[in-house]
Amino acid sequence: MMRTRPLKVALLGCGVVGSEVARIMTTHAADLAARIGAQVELAGVAVRRPDKVREGIDPALVTTDATALVKRGDIDVVVEVIGGIEPARTLITTAFAHGASVVSANKALIAQDGAALHAAADEHGRDLYYEAAVAGAIPLIRPLRESLAGDKVNRVLGIVNGTTNFILDAMDTTGAGYQEALDEATALGYAEADPTADVEGFDAAAKAAILAGIAFHTRVRLDDVHREGMTEVTAADFASARQMGCTIKLLAICERAADGASVTARVHPAMIPLSHPLANVREAYNAVFVESEAAGQLMFYGPGAGGSPTASAVLGDLVAVCRNRLGGATGPGESAYAALPVSPMGEVVTRYHISLDVADKPGVLAQVATVFAEHGVSIDTVRQSGKDGEASLVVVTHRAFDAALGGTVEALRKLDTVRGVASIMRVEGE
């Protein structure tokens, strides 16, 4: 039976995502009501520029006073899509205190202050949902939090930023350099005017923190995630990758240690075999591999950003929260009972591809091999080429500690026969 009083929704932010959320709420109102069991009413929209024309939104709903909107007391759900840390954090906690549940797409805030926000939601008996904070329309948080709740997740490996994937895919398929590929991504609207958050891995690191926390039932903050950007990836790196039967992706990797006693979370460029499903994720798409003990390998794939895909995730959360509201219940909150320590990058074990510029003379390979052996790093393959007194030496290692590899590279730089370290890249997905 349909409830007579509508559930009231306050929308914070009306940009690309917020305007699409408002549009879907209006055009699909009947379907949403049927799925929820009550009408959903847009009760207010908080914006910074009230004079801007917003098609399909009653100007009477628009306000610049977001605080007053979330304090009204008759708001059932607040949808936060303004991003950033403040004022979003204060607005969300204020909404809880005044009786509203919250749906957010704010990855930076959840990664930094998720524990405190969950505590505030629990204190007031309200929901905090944020499917849209990671990988856009791809259902990922809910499967990890609910569908795999009875399983043990050991690894989450994925491409969670569409901008960087578009750039790296263009470099791979067209032979373009980094700047040329970035310019194309900007022209097509995939990259922001300031792409730093994407290309330096900040966006992916926030998502990795959220995924690791949910997957391993452990609080993982943004500061716990090792982060490397992809601005130094070159056409030569792609050429080396192709010789190995690989390509290069910016990956978010969250892993449980082999002994189960700790976890790691990291974001960095890596070579992956062309046979791996992630190697075939093209353009601005996202894809995430989840490896668990009972379910095995699962792959989630789809558009990871944009107004419509992100709004789809927001609306999915809105339906779930509204159903909880009608039932007088709340959904899953934070699960951090495992409280596993987060290991630093130096304790991560992985394979490496190291390209060296060396003198083209006898004994160089022996010197380099000795340095690797002295630091406990086992060599898998070596490829050497050169002429006219200069040469290139490419070494691919077996799995080794990151800290051991760091010492190896330092020692290599001190060799008279090593002119320079052209590139170092991890190899994943074997």
Side-chain angles (χ1 to χ4, degrees), residues 87-166:
R89 174 171 49 198
T90 299
L91 290 170
I92 288 174
T93 55
T94 301
F96 291 142
H98 286 79
S101 290
V102 174
V103 172
S104 176
N106 195 332
K107 53 188 170 287
L109 179 57
I110 301 299
Q112 178 172 305
D113 290 317
L117 294 176
H118 273 295
D122 289 343
E123 178 186 353
H124 297 287
R126 295 294 176 247
D127 277 322
L128 173 63
Y129 277 46
Y130 42 87
E131 183 70 62
V134 180
I138 305 172
L140 188 57
I141 289 177
R142 193 172 285 113
L144 280 174
R145 191 163 59 178
E146 299 178 31
S147 303
L148 296 175
D151 206 343
K152 181 181 180 182
V153 176
N154 291 318
R155 194 174 198 229
V156 179
L157 168 75
I159 298 163
V160 294
N161 183 277
T163 300
T164 54
N165 199 59
F166 181 91

Side-chain angles (χ1 to χ4, degrees), residues 1-279:
M1 188 171 110
M2 186 77 66
R3 192 176 92 160
T4 55
R5 185 181 79 79
L7 292 162
K8 294 189 176 183
V9 177
L11 179 61
L12 308 183
C14 197
V16 173
V17 175
S19 59
E20 188 66 7
V21 169
R23 184 192 69 79
I24 295 173
M25 285 184 63
T26 302
T27 58
H28 294 181
D31 285 339
L32 290 173
R35 294 166 191 173
I36 293 169
Q39 295 289 333
V40 179
E41 175 187 307
L42 187 59
V45 182
V47 300
R48 285 184 296 178
R49 294 183 294 165
D51 297 332
K52 180 180 177 181
V53 176
R54 294 173 172 85
E55 187 176 346
I57 295 178
D58 183 352
L61 298 178
V62 175
T63 178
T64 58
D65 194 343
T67 301
L69 178 60
V70 300
K71 282 184 173 181
R72 274 178 35 174
D74 65 335
I75 299 297
D76 295 289
V77 184
V78 170
V79 174
E80 183 270 309
V81 288
I82 56 178
I85 305 302
E86 288 292 356
R89 174 171 49 198
T90 299
L91 290 170
I92 288 174
T93 55
T94 301
F96 291 142
H98 286 79
S101 290
V102 174
V103 172
S104 176
N106 195 332
K107 53 188 170 287
L109 179 57
I110 301 299
Q112 178 172 305
D113 290 317
L117 294 176
H118 273 295
D122 289 343
E123 178 186 353
H124 297 287
R126 295 294 176 247
D127 277 322
L128 173 63
Y129 277 46
Y130 42 87
E131 183 70 62
V134 180
I138 305 172
L140 188 57
I141 289 177
R142 193 172 285 113
L144 280 174
R145 191 163 59 178
E146 299 178 31
S147 303
L148 296 175
D151 206 343
K152 181 181 180 182
V153 176
N154 291 318
R155 194 174 198 229
V156 179
L157 168 75
I159 298 163
V160 294
N161 183 277
T163 300
T164 54
N165 199 59
F166 181 91
I167 293 169
L168 292 173
D169 184 47
M171 292 176 69
D172 186 23
T173 56
T174 70
Y178 167 75
Q179 189 59 52
E180 184 182 352
L182 173 59
D183 290 343
E184 181 184 4
T186 304
L188 292 172
Y190 291 120
E192 301 285 347
D194 179 1
T196 303
D198 294 322
V199 300
E200 294 294 351
F202 290 101
D203 176 87
K207 296 170 182 176
I210 295 170
L211 292 175
I214 296 170
F216 306 134
H217 304 278
T218 292
R219 286 179 179 170
V220 180
R221 288 172 51 89
L222 182 57
D223 292 345
D224 295 321
V225 182
H226 174 82
R227 176 194 56 79
E228 297 173 27
M230 40 77 72
T231 58
E232 301 300 318
V233 176
T234 66
D237 291 326
F238 274 101
S240 293
R242 281 191 288 273
Q243 289 179 331
M244 290 179 58
C246 293
T247 188
I248 299 171
K249 299 292 186 181
L250 184 75
L251 298 178
I253 305 168
C254 311
E255 293 180 308
R256 189 188 299 270
D259 63 3
S262 64
V263 298
T264 60
R266 51 196 164 101
V267 168
H268 54 71
M271 294 182 179
I272 57 172
L274 293 174
S275 58
H276 195 284
L278 290 180

